[in-house]
Amino acid sequence: MALKIVKGSIDRMFDKNLQDLVRGIRNHKEDEAKYISTCIDEIKQELKQDNIAVKANAVCKLTYLQMLGYDVSWAAFNIVEVMSSSKFTYKRIGYLAASQCFHESTDVIMLTTNQIRKDLSSPNQYDTGVALTGLSCFVTPDLARDLANDIMTLMSHTKPYIRKKAVLIMYKVFLKYPESLRPAFPRLKEKLEDPDPGVQSAAVNVICELARRNPKNYLSLAPLFFKLMTSSTNNWVLIKIIKLFGALTPLEPRLGKKLIEPLTNLIHSTSAMSLLYECVNTVIAVLISLSSGMPNHSASIQLCVQKLRILIEDSDQNLKYLGLLAMSKILKTHPKSVQSHKDLILQCLDDKDESIRLRALDLLYGMVSKKNLMEIVKKLMLHVDKAEGTTYRDELLTKIIDICSQSNYQYITNFEWYISILVELTRLEGTRHGHLIASQMLDVAIRVKAIRVFAVAQMATLLDNAHLLTGNMQRNGICEVLYAAAWICGEFSEHLENPMQTLEAMLRPKVATLPGHIQAVYVQNAAKLFATILKSQEGNTDSTAAQDTSQLMIDRLPLFVQSANLEVQERASCILQLVKYIQKLQQKDVEVAEEVNALFAGELNPVAPKAQKKVPVPEGLDLDAWINEPPSESESEDEQPKAIFAKEEPKHSRPRHTEVDEKELARRREARKQEQANNPFYIKASPSSQKVYQDAPGVEHIPVVQIDLSVPLKVPGLPMSDQYVKLEEERRQKERAEKKKKEKKKRKEKRSGRGKKHDSGPESEEDITPAHQVDIVTEEMPENALPSDDDDKDPNDPHKALDIDLDKPLADSEKLPVRSHRAAEAAKSPAEDGETENATSLEPKKKSSKEKREKKKDKDRDRKSKEEKKKKKHKHEEKEEDLLGGQADEPVVQSEETSEVAAPPTSTSAEVSDLDFWLSNAPVPSNTQEAATVAAAAAPELEAPTGTAPDSEPDEPKDTEMEETKSSKHKKKKQKKEKEEKEKKKKKKHHHHHHHSDGGGEESVQNGTVEEEEPLPPMSNYCLLAENSYIKMVYDIQGNLQDGSQVVVSVIFENKCDSFLKSMEFNVLDSLNSKLQRPEGSGPHDGLTVPFQLPPGVSNEARFVFTVQSIVMPQKLKGTLTFIVKNEDSSTHEKLDFKLHFTCTSYLITTPCYSDAFAKLLESGDLKGSSVRLEGVNMPFHHLLARICFHHHFSIVERIDSCASMYSRSIQGHHVCLLVKTSGQTVSIDAKCDEPTLLGNVLDEIKQTFSQC
Amino acid sequence: MIKAILIFNNHGKPRLIRFYQYFAEDMQQQIIRETFHLVSKRDDNVCNFLEGGSLIGGSDYKLIYRHYATLYFVFCVDSSESELGILDLIQVCCYFFKMLCRKKQMVFVETLDKCFENVCELDLIFHMDRVHYILQEVVMGGMVLETNMNEIVAQVEVQNRMEKSEGGLSAAPARAVSAVKNMNLPEIPRNINIGDINIKVPSLSPF
């Protein structure tokens, strides 16, 4: 053993540190991989050592290797070990490694919860800081839930360094655990006015990030942010706030009006380009949100455009880029003001910088008009030829198509030109956008009837030269175009000049190399062509020609019958048989052309892409209703604790159901859309797959204009579009000339000035008439379709969950979970939480609306008295601080602020009217004035006897402050940790109790008043189980709500020595009545392995489930804990005996009860009474009640002065009712219960609780 | 939000990577390669913003980078960050890296502009951990934590002092050496049977 150690020490001398590793890697350039693999072997050896320094060094090296791309997840456990080191140096290394390589599916993360919690509450702020930084990178939903409360506490830490980190990390917590947002929000808001600029900046950061996704929930913060904006000098904060306003203004135009002035001031005054740019951006957002009606808008727009022009003209490419970016935002609403800078933008198209060219492209979209479309596209086509990278070229391609097709081909005057542009684009090599061109071709050919002749001719040329497109397999993307070409040629085959040639082109053997879906279209359309050819040939009396055609089909189709693609095969064999049959008929000289043509008769009409979705659901049809019985999955839901009182409302499962259905519906819709997108046969905005088997009405009415085909068509791959530009130019000139003539005539006829208006500009938009009258067929929509714009939000967006109304008063149930008891099978409890929350959340809502109305009435009357009360309250707080030894760090003023700011979010109506007031107020209110209004609005809520939330809320900061002072006072005492733990426990228990008691309206109110009077001393239900020099165990017993025969024992194990404790086994001697639940397959005397190990100084909690039969008597169980103590050099087995005390109290569960139900219960006469007197109880009545509630799991039903009724229920359904009265130092408790033995024992236990203190 | 911070040299070798969203290691390397490919082919006098990068982000994301001598500093950010602000931030970071890695006294005597000219790659290579620690004081979990230079310097300095007072990581081997020296060698039995590893030896002084 010693040798090993000696050897280890010597080895360590030669251990590589990070620098050595890096140097080594640099020296082994040729065989880097090999060198690194030997290094990893070394690291593995080092990780096996017990010395934490060696481990930390190894982990540090692993972090480096991770950067190089090596997977180091195998060392996750070692990383956790290093994280839990007590030395800052190592801890920092551990957390760094964790933040680099941990993620949600890293399983050891579960083990870190307690370690992180410990670090968060460390007296060393840098330990806390390191833990927060690390956590921000790998926080999981579980960690977020378990640690949310701890982090929230840190938000009011004395050190700003911790505060800012805690504030920032809350955002991550919200994302992972959205339920925490509402309870934490008041404190977050309060941090906006933190004295430390760093903390303030962090809070602004978090709220902006939240508001960006769900702006409407943060509108009420506008006044506060406005104040910050006008007072802050930190550019970072200003930028964030201004960005936030940019997101808020679309929701509230009045806000925009208020913003314009200070923003323009900033634009004029600031020297920071970044700030100026953001101001301009937000002004643009404001202008967009405001309807154009205000006269001074044009001035602001002008200012923006002017500033942007300066940016774009700047030599700094960055500014140029940003200027263009902002310009594109103006474009949407004020295209006119941008269009005047066309020269500048076209200039940017030639910039050497791709980013800038792309931005300029974006702007072009809005610059085109009928007049300049051809010119701009020509320019773009030149760029396409010059472009080097495929990404930029693809971008150009999509932009050309976007520009041309925008608003239903509004700017296209000559569709021949457009088709030839599309054909030219097919010459692009390696583009990914073949399908885009294809769908454009289809769309134009179908919707613009006049162009079909031309389009068909072009497509036939394309098909003829298909080898040019498919020659290179790299050009694969472009062969999609053939899909469109084949379909157009087939469908509109009557326009083909030489159908026979096209048919042959379609049946070439080379076609078999095309993708399956294109081949399928080829085969189908070959059949259409065949039908057309037959028709023309049969008229000719030359029957052999027709038979030759059939023979051609019969010769070529077998190639497709052999195709591996099912679709191709099926169509080909079907058509082959058909043609064979036709041939037979032809040989008998039967006329078949008519019948064959009937196969493909009818016109296809385009259908709007959303048509299907917009068909209204017929009345009485519930698409989401189950056709058959749904599979029973919600059985556990039905097995909710049986309602004891008849009056209790039924579970609100129904609304929840519909919500799920909605989600499900959205999911299905999404899936369907996905399917459609992937389906090559579903072409958006193009023919529907079904044919209309009748002649479409109105085809005759469409004026088909003879097109003068002055351009030679049959030269493939030659740019023809340029010639159209020339032609167009000439045509326009001619037109103009004609118009002028007409105009002159007109003027001669009428001498009035009316003509002048028309003449305002010969170049104006309206004057340019399309080359030929185009009939753009609009897409078909179903009858009585519902116009709706479904916002297609990503259902997976984590921010969707954060769309939470923050102004609603906090319900009692909305508390951050504090470490709570969860049964060993932890899966149950979150579900249970959810259910209780669901059940309870409805109640406060109903109430709040009523409350609001009442409050409004009472507001004015109450204001004065309330304010007095508030003062009193502050006195209370001050007193408290004195008691705690006067905290220097937390001035009284701040605590005042705390209570003030915490209140506003609880009152929606007040808040909203406040916002209205603020917005309608033209001059900027001074800070004090505003604060006053906020305070005034908040005051009634703050102390409102009916509002439970505000009462409990300000309580919390006090608690935490206390905790902090305590922890700073008793530094480095061993018990301190334990105390803190207890305090936390207490807080949790406290909330727990709330959580349960909020079901009924009234008694929760009572709870509120109880707490308001004076903070409660720390309480804990954890009592000592056993202790020796190695380990200490404390335990608590809780009934299991779900199962009447189970209790959960939570034991906290704390390692008190300097060694590592492992292989802990927990065993209990079962009695007849109570048994430890062991996993299946183990004997009745086997111990349970504690699922963790304990490094020195660490504590962790394990839960054990016991089954009990009778609960009327308390009980004690003997047990043993065996464990191994591992030192550097030795390991010893140790054991510790203990006695588990199952009190009757532990069988009780805090259950809320309505006062009327309570009265009925007492009247029923089923209960047997008993009473007890407590002498010399020296504590306030509400403390006494709180103690009973806390230690004995009761809830208060009603409290009148010095008298209170309380209720609790055992896990087996016994009702326990108490009436507690106090006079002086005597407390009398009258109790009733349907089980006298149980009652007796419970009363004994209560008596004991009070005799101890 | 900042999605990722990448620092690599002119050959695409990563010098520091920091992802604020999880990607598997091979994906990370792919992203680095792609980003390097995008960034490296750009001239020095074009703008510092770059769209695209199909792997990281989407339309909402942008690459903002700076190129100093042999190093590229790339931030991948979404639209909630100010572009020019992030450019400034990169400058600030570079400054810190340079100063801290050279273990100079952190006094702001030089003006910022002068300092950026040559951030030495070697500074970063050998002190990746330190660079991370600095970065942690500036950006946390993808959000800008602190922009006040003095505050950042102060916090980093205090933590480094703490590390020093604990002996630092590099002290471990040195301690091991001293531990060997301090061992009382004569007390170890002379005739050690090599074959039997489990011989009992009087307890050694713990180190």
Side-chain angles (χ1 to χ4, degrees), chain A residues 383-451:
Chain A
H383 279 285
V384 170
D385 287 337
K386 277 193 290 180
E388 288 143 22
T390 42
T391 34
Y392 179 56
R393 214 172 42 188
D394 282 355
E395 190 63 30
L396 275 169
L397 192 156
T398 45
K399 271 284 127 57
I400 292 176
I401 290 180
D402 273 359
I403 288 173
C404 294
S405 64
Q406 66 174 308
S407 44
N408 215 2
Y409 307 105
Q410 188 192 343
Y411 299 117
I412 294 186
T413 51
N414 187 337
F415 276 92
E416 281 179 34
W417 165 80
Y418 186 46
I419 293 274
S420 40
I421 286 284
L422 288 177
V423 172
E424 259 173 60
L425 285 175
T426 60
R427 289 182 297 116
L428 277 187
E429 275 182 55
T431 180
R432 288 180 291 117
H433 294 300
H435 61 96
L436 202 64
I437 304 176
S439 67
Q440 278 293 300
M441 286 175 170
L442 285 170
D443 200 37
V444 173
I446 291 164
R447 292 173 59 189
V448 186
K449 289 190 175 163
I451 201 65

Side-chain angles (χ1 to χ4, degrees), chain B residues 27-52:
Chain B
M27 190 65 183
Q28 292 185 352
Q29 295 300 313
Q30 219 173 318
I31 290 173
I32 295 170
R33 275 196 297 274
E34 194 198 47
T35 315
F36 171 67
H37 187 71
L38 285 172
V39 165
S40 61
K41 67 180 182 204
R42 292 172 65 83
D43 289 341
D44 270 350
N45 52 355
V46 297
C47 77
N48 299 102
F49 313 117
L50 192 56
E51 284 137 273

